[in-house]
């Protein structure tokens, strides 16, 4: 909305918020652009496209302030697996690594069901917190991409 955020503005704003606030968490994404060497890796990073990006690395993630898939992977490394932001970050995997969630041609429906179970929290790999919302949000994101 309006002017794009500059790095100077991001630094100024981030200093005005408590470290644990939602605004601070949102602004931390700007580290990837403004000062990537200062971006701290998470001790237990949020798993994101573990098999790599299977879509275009420059594909823009819907509702992520212009973040591309390659930047999404970098951002996920800064988010702790236990953080509620991790489940939000993982939503972009449907855009960035759809091959991880679709059975290869010839695979049985069981593989798809297992993938669905891991997406909705049935696996130890899946984060908890936002998982029950996953299907409706991702369906919307996919529809928006298809419409675009």
């Amino acid at each position: 909305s309006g002017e794009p955020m500059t790095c100077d503005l991001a630094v100024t704003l981030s200093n005005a918020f408590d470290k644990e606030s939602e605004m601070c968490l949102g602004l931390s994404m700007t580290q990837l652009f403004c000062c990537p060497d200062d971006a701290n890796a998470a001790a237990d990073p949020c798993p994101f496209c573990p098999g790599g990006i299977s879509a275009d690395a420059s594909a823009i993630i819907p509702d992520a302030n212009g973040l591309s898939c390659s930047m999404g992977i970098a951002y996920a490394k800064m988010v702790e697996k236990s953080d509620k932001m991790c489940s939000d970050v993982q939503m972009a995997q449907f855009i960035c690594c759809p091959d991880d969630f679709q059975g290869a041609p010839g695979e049985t429906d069981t593989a798809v069901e297992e993938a669905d179970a891991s997406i909705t929290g049935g696996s130890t790999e899946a984060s908890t917190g936002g998982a029950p919302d996953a299907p409706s949000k991702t369906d919307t994101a996919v529809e928006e991409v298809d419409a675009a």
Side-chain angles (χ1 to χ4, degrees):
S1 62
E3 294 296 310
M5 176 150 332
T6 64
C7 288
D8 287 341
L9 180 58
V11 169
T12 302
L13 285 174
S14 66
N15 288 329
F17 293 102
D18 181 74
K19 185 177 180 179
E20 301 302 318
S21 76
E22 287 287 323
M23 281 299 294
C24 185
L25 289 172
L27 285 166
S28 68
M29 191 180 339
T30 62
Q31 286 183 303
L32 298 173
F33 304 101
C34 299
C35 47
D37 293 341
D38 291 341
N40 295 322
D44 187 14
C46 181
F48 185 86
C49 294
I53 297 172
S54 54
D56 184 347
S58 63
I60 300 300
I61 300 166
D63 302 321
N65 300 320
L67 208 62
S68 67
C69 287
S70 59
M71 295 305 281
I73 282 189
Y75 181 63
K77 290 176 183 170
M78 294 171 36
V79 177
E80 292 291 341
K81 188 176 186 177
S82 60
D83 191 306
K84 61 182 176 157
M85 283 289 293
C86 183
S87 60
D88 292 341
V89 169
Q90 288 179 323
M91 293 290 183
Q93 293 181 110
F94 291 97
I95 304 300
C96 300
C97 47
D99 292 358
D100 289 355
F101 299 101
Q102 296 172 356
E107 283 189 9
T108 64
D109 290 341
T110 307
V112 174
E113 289 166 13
E114 286 170 5
D116 287 344
S118 68
I119 293 163
T120 57
S123 150
T124 56
E125 285 290 317
S127 68
T128 57
D133 294 328
S136 62
K137 285 184 184 175
T138 51
D139 290 347
T140 303
V142 170
E143 287 166 15
E144 287 170 9
V145 171
D146 289 345

